[in-house]
Amino acid sequence: MKTFNAKADEVERKWWIVDAADQKVGRVATVIATILRGKNKAIYTPNVDTGDFVVVINTDKMELSGTKWQDKKYYSHTRFFGSMKEMTAAQAKEKDSTFIMHEAVRGMLPTNKLSRHVIMKMKAYPGAEHPHAAQKPALYTLPSKK
């Protein structure tokens, strides 16, 4: 039996909608990272982008457990002295709620050149409206909360 390796131009990509309303950020991010990498497909190849596109809606209604809204911090710096900035998850949600989901998914992807292209297939929106109706995305049902 020969080993199958997927080719980048032979991959069929689907569009999925994931509703993040009333869901934990980490639970949704693991599902999104799996879809983006293509690990849910039988043709998964680690060095080829075999994943699908994901549209995340209602990022302004997602949840964090415990006191993470005040305790979790996001850091940014420009590599100049004294330029370190920090903001809590609550401040990040006020400023741009899609940032929290983007950072959660980006942290679950490997750190290589391929993951930089993979993360660009995720489109996140704070409300229920999105401009990707022409791609006919299907609703992805998340596992139920226990």
Side-chain angles (χ1 to χ4, degrees):
M1 179 181 264
K2 290 193 161 208
T3 303
F4 174 76
N5 287 320
K7 310 287 188 295
D9 54 343
E10 296 175 356
V11 177
E12 284 190 34
R13 302 195 194 286
K14 290 184 177 178
W15 283 73
W16 298 100
I17 291 182
V18 176
D19 190 4
D22 301 325
Q23 298 284 335
K24 304 284 185 192
V25 173
R27 301 284 179 162
V28 175
T30 54
V31 172
I32 293 171
T34 303
I35 296 170
L36 288 175
R37 287 200 68 197
K39 289 186 119 181
N40 59 340
K41 295 183 176 182
I43 63 166
Y44 171 70
T45 307
N47 62 333
V48 178
D49 182 12
T50 58
D52 295 332
F53 288 87
V54 177
V55 178
V56 186
I57 57 174
N58 293 324
T59 58
D60 56 344
K61 297 176 187 164
M62 59 191 174
E63 299 174 354
L64 284 174
S65 61
T67 59
K68 287 182 190 164
W69 287 116
Q70 292 79 30
D71 297 341
K72 185 167 180 60
K73 301 207 185 300
Y74 294 98
Y75 297 98
S76 66
H77 58 88
T78 61
R79 298 192 180 167
F80 285 100
F81 295 111
S83 69
M84 179 78 102
K85 292 183 174 51
E86 71 175 39
M87 65 176 153
T88 63
Q91 291 169 339
K93 184 178 179 182
E94 282 181 28
K95 187 175 178 184
D96 182 19
S97 65
T98 62
F99 172 79
I100 296 172
M101 184 58 72
H102 186 272
E103 286 298 302
V105 173
R106 189 182 64 82
M108 293 180 185
L109 294 175
T111 310
N112 55 23
K113 292 179 184 176
L114 185 62
S115 68
R116 294 185 200 124
H117 296 287
V118 168
I119 193 68
M120 291 194 309
K121 293 188 303 182
M122 184 183 91
K123 318 292 185 193
Y125 299 99
E129 294 83 25
H130 61 86
H132 303 288
Q135 285 78 21
K136 298 183 181 106
L139 184 64
Y140 190 88
T141 55
L142 295 169
S144 64
K145 296 192 310 186
K146 293 181 180 178

